[in-house]
Amino acid sequence: MIPTPACPACNATQRRPYHQHGQWELYLCAGCGLIYLDPMPDAATLASMYHNAYDDASTGYFSKPESKLRRSSTRIRIIKRLGGFSGGNFLDVGCNGGFMVEAARRGGFQAWGVEPDPVSVEYARTHYPANNYFNGLIADFDPKDSNGAPVKFNAAYCCEVIEHVPQPQEFLRAIHRLLEPGAILYLTTPDISHWRRPRDLERWDGFCPPSHCLYFTPSSLTALAQRCGFELIQRRPAWKPGIKLVLRRSV
C-alpha cells in the first residue's frame, strides 16, 4: 500500500474522513472536493486487478459488442462535431476490447488504443485488426509513424479509467503530451455527487474500492483537468451517476 498524505488531484493536505469500507479509508479533500483512498493500492495490486478482468473477454463490456460499437459511434460523432474535424489521429486511453477504437476508424480516423490488460488487447487485435494497439500504461506509450516520427493526436477518449488511477495529475499530463494544441479529449468517470446515486454509498455500483480509488464530482474533475492543461468545452448530460466532460488541450 502507498500512503496518500496529500490530495492526488490538487495536492492539498487538509481533509476529513469520509467513509470506511473494510480496510479501505476514504477522505474528502478540503481543497477541491475529491474523495480518495489513503493508503492507495500499490502497482502490484492494481496489476493483479486488471489482468483478465473480464473472464477471458466474456463478461462486462464484451457481452454486447454491437451495442458498444453503436454507443461508441455516437460519441465519435460528438467528438467530430465539437472538434470541428472529420478525421485525423484518434487515441483511446483504456481501450478495453477496442470498440471505441474501431468506431473511430469507421468514422474516418487513424485509430490507436492503449490498454494494460493483455487479454483485452488480444481480443481487440483479433476482432478489430485494422487498428493500432499498445499493451501497457499511457505513461509508457510513445507512438511513432512509419518514418519514425512521433505521432500526435487531435482527438482522444478516456472512459471510466481515471477513477482507477492513484496519480491522476500524472495520468492526464501523459495524455496531454500526446495531443496537439486544440485537440479534443472526451473524459468520463462515475459521479459521487449525482442525484441518482444511492444514499447508501455501499449500494452504489460505482463504489468499489480499491479498484476505484478516486471519486469525483463535476467540479473536482473539471478543476483537475484545468490544472493539467485542458479547458472545458462542454459537460454532457448524464442520466446515470456519471460525469462526461468534453475538454480541449490548451495551446
Side-chain angles (χ1 to χ4, degrees), residues 169-190:
Q169 294 186 65
E170 290 83 349
F171 177 76
L172 281 183
R173 288 180 177 129
I175 297 174
H176 185 277
R177 71 174 171 81
L178 293 165
L179 302 183
E180 298 174 347
I184 295 294
L185 170 62
Y186 194 123
L187 178 65
T188 82
T189 193

Side-chain angles (χ1 to χ4, degrees), residues 96-134:
N96 194 256
F99 309 108
M100 190 71 174
V101 184
E102 175 65 9
R105 185 191 67 80
R106 296 180 187 184
F109 288 96
Q110 294 291 319
W112 302 65
V114 174
E115 170 59 50
D117 177 19
V119 177
S120 295
V121 172
E122 181 59 30
Y123 177 98
R125 287 173 173 159
T126 299
H127 290 80
Y128 310 116
N131 306 309
N132 306 282
Y133 302 100
F134 174 75

Side-chain angles (χ1 to χ4, degrees), residues 14-88:
Q14 290 189 319
R15 65 186 190 177
R16 66 172 177 82
Y18 182 81
H19 186 81
Q20 183 152 0
H21 176 80
Q23 66 173 312
W24 301 103
E25 296 185 57
L26 289 95
Y27 292 86
L28 172 64
C29 174
C32 70
L34 177 74
I35 294 162
Y36 61 94
L37 290 182
D38 182 15
M40 290 284 186
D42 57 25
T45 302
L46 290 171
S48 68
M49 287 191 290
Y50 304 134
H51 179 82
N52 196 17
Y54 298 98
D55 300 325
D56 295 325
S58 64
T59 62
Y61 297 113
F62 298 92
S63 60
K64 298 179 180 179
E66 291 306 316
S67 175
K68 284 286 294 180
L69 278 170
R70 285 194 297 272
R71 188 179 76 169
S72 297
S73 295
T74 297
R75 291 188 173 181
I76 288 295
R77 289 194 292 271
I78 292 169
I79 290 170
K80 291 171 69 173
R81 175 172 55 82
L82 293 175
F85 41 66
S86 58

